[in-house]
Amino acid sequence: MELTANLHAFLWTSPTANNCNTYLIRSPEKSILIDPGHAAHFGHVRDELDRIGLAIDDIDLVICTHAHPDHIESVRFFSDAPARFALHAAEWALVEQMAPMLKASMEIELEMFRPDFFLEEGDLTVGDIRLEVFHTPGHSPGGISLYRPAEKALFTGDLIFKGGLGRTDLPGGDGRQLKESIRRMASLEAEWMLAGHGDVVSGVDEVKANFTQVERTWFGYI
């Protein structure tokens, strides 16, 4: 789905198989892929890239908003590609901590997902693409949200969705941090709210209304 000339959403709509939404930011100079998803479903991303005339080797940077398998597994397909991979340091620490369990239960090797560099709060510039990185823990300790000022696009990962919010019962989850992170992102003026799952929310008023509705409906339960 083309949202703007420089912004694409590869939405996962299967009612039976879990996977995340993937997003592409492109410019005349660079291309950034956000949350490539489960390895078993990466064909979905390949097909969407092919539809707009891009291949894996055309991606300059892969960013994961956090390291849950449904967001990070497909990073393995970029191991021999030019793209660099970035993750928050606190999230990598969680991956290292869980590495023995991941290898035993899912045969996941740690080196498949080692970041080329760690994301830090503040500006991130890749060629002519500028993003603002926010550390937004709660769903996971190193969860991040990204804001693209050019389109007023807010990528929230699994922090907040259309009508919902991220679970806190997985390792590193924290309800207090989740609420603080959501309130912080609610202060941004976003034309697009692009979450890790579910539908796109578009329009400044609609995005603000979604933040308000989620707080009123769900904050009392976490």
Side-chain angles (χ1 to χ4, degrees):
M1 176 192 299
E2 182 179 291
L3 304 178
T4 73
N6 299 314
L7 183 59
H8 297 260
F10 307 157
L11 301 182
W12 184 255
T13 58
S14 170
T16 57
N18 177 53
N19 196 28
C20 72
N21 294 331
T22 299
Y23 299 99
L24 174 73
I25 303 170
R26 65 187 306 195
S27 74
E29 294 182 12
K30 299 292 182 180
S31 295
I32 299 174
L33 195 70
I34 300 171
D35 287 340
H38 261 312
H41 304 307
F42 189 65
H44 164 69
V45 175
R46 286 184 189 270
D47 290 345
E48 293 288 349
L49 289 173
D50 184 64
R51 191 170 289 115
I52 57 177
L54 293 180
I56 285 179
D57 286 353
D58 295 317
I59 302 301
D60 297 286
L61 177 64
V62 177
I63 294 174
C64 283
T65 57
H66 60 293
H68 290 160
D70 59 328
H71 289 251
I72 199 175
E73 270 191 354
S74 288
V75 166
R76 69 180 68 179
F77 297 114
F78 293 86
S79 59
D80 296 321
R84 302 180 76 197
F85 168 51
L87 188 71
H88 194 277
E91 199 71 358
W92 181 244
L94 178 65
V95 172
E96 289 185 309
Q97 179 184 337
M98 297 182 64
M101 183 186 71
L102 293 172
K103 184 174 182 179
S105 62
M106 292 182 280
E107 299 183 355
I108 292 178
E109 295 286 349
L110 189 66
E111 289 306 310
M112 293 179 180
F113 310 104
R114 185 174 294 277
D116 294 295
F117 66 95
F118 292 120
L119 296 169
E120 297 181 353
E121 179 119 358
D123 287 348
L124 173 66
T125 301
V126 181
D128 56 349
I129 298 175
R130 187 176 76 84
L131 297 171
E132 296 176 16
V133 179
F134 296 91
H135 180 209
T136 50
H139 177 64
S140 61
I144 59 102
S145 296
L146 298 166
Y147 183 67
R148 164 81 164 145
E151 283 90 15
K152 295 185 178 179
L154 177 62
F155 304 85
T156 60
D158 285 4
L159 177 69
I160 182 172
F161 315 116
K162 182 178 181 180
L165 42 67
R167 57 193 293 185
T168 59
D169 59 333
L170 297 173
D174 185 295
R176 179 188 58 79
Q177 288 185 331
L178 188 80
K179 289 187 282 190
E180 289 177 354
S181 294
I182 289 174
R183 285 175 174 143
R184 188 179 180 209
M185 293 301 94
S187 67
L188 298 175
E189 182 173 318
E191 181 69 31
W192 304 95
M193 195 195 85
L194 307 172
H197 302 271
D199 294 334
V200 168
V201 180
S202 62
V204 172
D205 291 342
E206 287 75 10
V207 172
K208 289 185 179 300
N210 188 71
F211 274 102
T212 299
Q213 184 262 322
V214 166
E215 177 165 354
R216 289 176 177 172
T217 303
W218 297 109
F219 275 26
Y221 298 98
I222 58 173

